[in-house]
Amino acid sequence: MSDWLVLVLAMLGACAVVVLITLVRHRRAPEDEDPSETPDVIEYMTMWIGVVYAIVLGLAIAGVWEARSAAGDTVQAEAQALHEVSERVRVYPADVRDQIRADVDAYVSYVVDTEWKSMTDKGEVTARGSQLLDRVRQDVTDYQPRSDFEAQAYQPLVDQVAAADQARSARADSTGPTMPPVVWWGLLAGAVITVGMVFALQIRRTARELVLAGLFSATIAFMLFLIWDFDAPFSRGIAVTAEPFLTLFPHV
């Protein structure tokens, strides 16, 4: 099922639940009930619950968005480091240069074609990807420079391989959800309480109030969907892609 279809169904479901509860409550309400007699303390509590929950939602969205942005930065850093390795080995002999570039291309091709699917479906990187990157590291570190010019390029190449390995580790840490389950329970419970406080104000069955209550609940559903979608940077609708690899290595 498409993530956007899930969003539409969640928003429609939230609206339907609010409208249904309102209609049922209106039918069962006493004939002498006066909605204008809502105690001031209930209005005050409803206002503060809404404010507090809005702050919590904002912090949650900021947190998952920051995690997604960091995941995108690690992919860019990894691709850039490997690109630097491929470019800087031009000072090496042809056989060494071609071997390193071939191993870099093999690693990038595997990440784009195979490992990315594993990250999307299973939320984890593969051991094969680590082996291919280790091969690149061995190619770079095992070579003994034969001139001062090659020696000057050696250490920067080692540093770029280390940067790629560090970015890969960060990418592996970003494949799973970033929000703890207890936070999700708090967000869902807060949504129920916040929407439930609408009924404490003795909402009536007028079209204006039903529309506003439906839009309010749909907005909360939309915000929760955004948090859920950003929570797994590599495996949901608005996911981080392998575009940096494809841009810097168009031939793989």
Side-chain angles (χ1 to χ4, degrees):
M1 182 181 295
S2 170
D3 290 344
W4 296 108
L5 180 58
V6 172
L7 170 61
V8 172
L9 293 178
M11 294 178 67
L12 292 177
C15 293
V17 169
V18 170
V19 172
L20 180 62
I21 293 177
T22 302
L23 294 177
V24 171
R25 183 181 180 281
H26 182 78
R27 286 177 176 273
R28 296 184 176 182
E31 295 182 359
D32 58 347
E33 182 181 51
D34 186 3
S36 63
E37 294 182 354
T38 301
D40 292 340
V41 66
I42 293 182
E43 296 181 357
Y44 181 79
M45 291 174 58
T46 301
M47 178 188 68
W48 274 106
I49 288 174
V51 170
V52 171
Y53 188 65
I55 294 174
V56 172
L57 280 178
L59 291 175
I61 291 177
V64 294
W65 176 256
E66 182 179 358
R68 182 190 181 279
S69 299
D73 292 341
T74 59
V75 174
Q76 180 65 46
E78 183 180 3
Q80 185 63 46
L82 293 171
H83 178 70
E84 291 295 324
V85 172
S86 293
E87 293 298 322
R88 296 189 182 196
V89 294
R90 66 175 182 230
V91 303
Y92 282 7
D95 57 336
V96 178
R97 178 186 65 226
D98 293 343
Q99 180 62 46
I100 293 177
R101 286 179 173 175
D103 287 341
V104 169
D105 290 346
Y107 172 75
V108 172
S109 178
Y110 179 80
V111 168
V112 173
D113 297 334
T114 304
E115 188 169 67
W116 213 267
K117 181 174 176 58
S118 174
M119 292 165 54
T120 301
D121 297 341
K122 302 179 182 179
E124 61 184 13
V125 297
T126 63
R128 177 60 178 167
S130 299
Q131 294 172 0
L132 291 175
L133 185 58
D134 287 340
R135 185 182 301 173
V136 175
R137 180 187 290 105
Q138 292 171 6
D139 292 341
V140 172
T141 57
D142 291 352
Y143 177 71
Q144 296 182 357
R146 303 174 185 175
S147 66
D148 291 341
F149 189 42
E150 292 181 1
Q152 292 175 1
Y154 177 80
Q155 189 58 47
L157 281 170
V158 173
D159 292 341
Q160 291 298 328
V161 173
D165 186 44
Q166 183 178 7
R168 174 182 171 79
S169 298
R171 174 163 60 86
D173 293 338
S174 301
T175 54
T178 58
M179 296 282 288
V182 65
V183 176
W184 273 113
W185 282 111
L187 290 174
L188 295 175
V192 173
I193 294 172
T194 303
V195 175
M197 290 301 294
V198 173
F199 302 104
L201 296 176
Q202 300 183 17
I203 182 174
R204 290 169 292 184
R205 200 174 56 175
T206 63
R208 180 178 60 183
E209 290 180 328
L210 289 178
V211 169
L212 289 176
L215 291 176
F216 177 71
S217 59
T219 300
I220 292 179
F222 175 71
M223 301 294 280
L224 291 175
F225 171 82
L226 284 182
I227 297 173
W228 172 82
D229 195 80
F230 291 150
D231 191 32
F234 294 102
S235 59
R236 289 179 184 151
I238 311 176
V240 177
T241 67
E243 185 64 27
F245 288 104
L246 298 175
T247 301
L248 296 174
F249 298 91
H251 55 280
V252 299

